[in-house]
Amino acid sequence: MSKQLEKFARDHFSEATFNENAWLVRRNEGAKLLMMVIFLLAIASVGKYEVLRLVPLILLPAWIGFELELPKGALFKRLLLLEPMFLVVALLSPLLTQETITYYGLTFSKGWLICLSLMIKSTLTLSVVLQVGMMMGIEGLCSGLRVLRVPSVFVELTALTYRYLFVLSEEALSLSRAYKLRAPKMKGVHFTTWGSFAGQLILRSFDRAERIDRAMKMRGFSGAKTQEYKRFNLGDWVLVVSMVFYAAAVLLM
């Protein structure tokens, strides 16, 4: 197994390393999704200059990490992978906005306030989404969507898209390995072959996806998974209602 494939497997299986006996884990998958959605709406509702109002929102990702005992290293690596995209956008704000604003009696540059606000919002958003994703996994996400009565076609599309990403990754590794065997002195894929490499990757992944689809249908897959919906219990309602009050308290500060 190549180093890339080993790293890919290690990062994938690290999603299951959390305290499975935690109170939050035992909650309904739909309640967990509602908790995340309410939190994301609260973040989106905070103004772009209201940096101090974002500070209390740190409590939720901190509580989730403490409750689940999630590996901080895995979460930190994922944040480092995604944060640079938001950092580039945030750093453009001071260049585009030169105005000033008086905030709590102090004068600040609007551009730097927007930059700081974007960075805090992106960090909080990614932290909660990654933590909930590591806790629930794709099966838990699809189960939560079914509990919330999301149409089954969207649920199956989400699940199959996620599975297709793994097919695409494996085919990319296979093509990359074949390219290195034919061009051992090349460091990476030469830019003159990017087009054919991408085309072969798409064709090979489509072909393999079709074979997987035929194998699933031969085993009885019909495209619509039927399961009994789990009703919310007292603990689930406590989680959702507490999240509503928490978000309202932050926005009304």
Side-chain angles (χ1 to χ4, degrees):
M1 181 182 289
S2 65
K3 293 182 179 179
Q4 297 94 332
L5 190 57
E6 289 179 0
K7 183 178 183 300
F8 174 78
R10 184 173 62 252
D11 290 343
H12 173 59
F13 288 114
S14 66
E15 295 178 356
T17 55
F18 58 88
N19 181 13
E20 298 182 0
N21 297 320
W23 180 83
L24 186 58
V25 176
R26 299 195 301 270
R27 302 282 63 81
N28 191 294
E29 306 296 346
K32 299 173 191 174
L33 281 182
L34 284 177
M35 175 194 69
M36 184 178 68
V37 170
I38 294 170
F39 181 77
L40 297 182
L41 290 176
I43 290 179
S45 301
V46 176
K48 56 185 177 181
Y49 304 126
E50 300 174 329
V51 177
L52 292 180
R53 186 168 288 184
L54 294 170
V55 176
L57 292 173
I58 300 175
L59 294 175
L60 183 66
W63 173 71
I64 295 176
F66 177 78
E67 173 76 9
L68 303 180
E69 301 176 7
L70 289 172
K72 299 179 178 60
L75 180 62
F76 185 68
K77 286 190 294 184
R78 285 167 171 78
L79 285 176
L80 286 181
L81 180 65
L82 299 173
E83 277 290 348
M85 297 183 292
F86 297 94
L87 179 61
V88 172
V89 176
L91 290 178
L92 292 175
S93 300
L95 301 177
L96 300 176
T97 306
Q98 303 292 337
E99 302 174 2
T100 59
I101 185 175
T102 302
Y103 196 57
Y104 287 96
L106 300 175
T107 302
F108 298 94
S109 169
K110 285 186 176 181
W112 284 109
L113 280 179
I114 295 174
C115 175
L116 184 59
S117 176
L118 284 174
M119 289 307 302
I120 296 176
K121 285 184 176 182
S122 63
T123 302
L124 292 176
T125 300
L126 291 174
S127 297
V128 170
V129 171
L130 289 173
Q131 286 175 324
V132 173
M134 293 169 67
M135 173 178 58
M136 297 175 60
I138 187 62
E139 295 298 333
L141 173 63
C142 294
S143 177
L145 292 175
R146 294 188 185 97
V147 171
L148 297 179
R149 301 299 195 273
V150 174
S152 59
V153 61
F154 294 106
V155 178
E156 296 300 334
L157 183 62
T158 300
L160 294 177
T161 301
Y162 177 82
R163 299 302 181 192
Y164 180 74
L165 292 177
F166 290 97
V167 174
L168 190 66
S169 301
E170 292 175 1
E171 291 299 330
L173 288 174
S174 177
L175 276 176
S176 177
R177 190 180 301 112
Y179 181 85
K180 289 180 180 179
L181 290 174
R182 288 167 175 79
K185 296 182 180 180
M186 293 293 298
K187 293 183 178 180
V189 181
H190 196 268
F191 72 93
T192 57
T193 59
W194 285 358
S196 59
F197 187 91
Q200 287 294 322
L201 176 61
I202 293 174
L203 291 176
R204 286 169 60 95
S205 56
F206 276 167
D207 182 64
R208 185 175 174 188
E210 288 180 354
R211 295 200 305 269
I212 293 174
D213 179 67
R214 288 195 295 269
M216 292 169 62
K217 288 181 178 178
M218 290 179 64
R219 289 165 174 80
F221 178 75
S222 62
K225 183 178 179 180
T226 59
Q227 74 174 48
E228 183 180 354
Y229 294 115
K230 294 171 58 178
R231 295 182 179 273
F232 280 20
N233 56 28
L234 180 59
D236 301 327
W237 285 114
V238 168
L239 177 62
V240 175
V241 173
S242 299
M243 192 63 210
V244 171
F245 280 106
Y246 170 61
V250 171
L251 295 178
L252 296 176
M253 286 178 57

